[in-house]
Amino acid sequence: MIKIEHIGIAVKNLDEANKIYKKLLGTGSYKTEAVESENVMTSFFKVGENKIELLEATSDQSAIHKFIEKRGEGIHHIAFDVSDIYLEMERLKNEGFILLNEIPKIGADNKLVCFVHPKNTTGVLIELCQSKNQ
Ligand code: ZN
């Protein structure tokens, strides 16, 4: 794994959260993006070379909706940048981690992503992500 690519935060209301994070970070969101496959609307902020991803559910079927129902707003996942997502997925599977998708999905930011079940990661949902042009 190369570095922490971003931290995902589940929010109830993206507009409100955008205002809060703009105040907090001193700079506004540089993009918003709908991720159809996850039923979420996302908003990204840059902090140095790291990013914060705010996620709002766009449907009751969204994992973000379920997360907020259960645990309220807060940190939802930590995403790690990887150079070869297929290789990392294989490696983690062999280490006994549970992958939530067997093949990489198209995530936000035009990346290939795979989620790792929090059950075996001390309760933290992990996202692997690889830039498609890497
Ligand atoms: Zn993410």
Side-chain angles (χ1 to χ4, degrees):
M1 302 207 190
I2 300 167
K3 61 168 187 174
I4 291 177
E5 213 281 334
H6 64 268
I7 294 173
I9 298 172
V11 304
K12 282 184 189 160
N13 182 310
L14 199 57
D15 288 338
E16 291 304 314
N18 274 336
K19 285 180 205 156
I20 293 166
Y21 277 82
K22 184 178 180 186
K23 266 192 261 179
L24 182 72
L25 302 171
T27 178
S29 164
Y30 68 92
K31 77 164 178 180
T32 56
E33 182 185 347
V35 183
E36 307 282 343
S37 63
E38 303 290 334
N39 293 305
V40 291
M41 183 62 87
T42 65
S43 172
F44 282 88
F45 292 79
K46 277 203 177 91
V47 191
E49 62 169 26
N50 300 111
K51 296 172 198 159
I52 299 287
E53 174 188 38
L54 304 180
L55 305 115
E56 181 196 55
T58 54
S59 127
D60 289 359
Q61 297 311 306
S62 166
I64 295 300
H65 176 79
K66 290 168 193 159
F67 178 89
I68 288 177
E69 290 271 279
K70 220 166 116 184
R71 299 167 67 165
E73 291 183 301
I75 293 181
H76 177 258
H77 64 271
I78 297 178
F80 292 95
D81 200 5
V82 299
S83 54
D84 184 336
I85 195 164
Y86 293 94
L87 215 70
E88 275 309 323
M89 287 169 69
E90 195 57 36
R91 187 179 72 81
L92 294 180
K93 214 155 70 173
N94 289 335
E95 293 285 2
F97 292 100
I98 300 163
L99 305 181
L100 291 177
N101 47 295
E102 285 295 314
I103 50 169
K105 298 196 275 190
I106 308 291
D109 227 8
N110 200 32
K111 290 181 189 302
L112 289 173
V113 304
C114 175
F115 287 94
V116 183
H117 199 289
K119 189 179 158 199
N120 305 85
T121 60
T122 66
V124 181
L125 178 65
I126 302 292
E127 176 184 355
L128 306 176
C129 60
Q130 179 193 334
S131 297
K132 287 211 287 180
N133 54 14
Q134 251 173 22

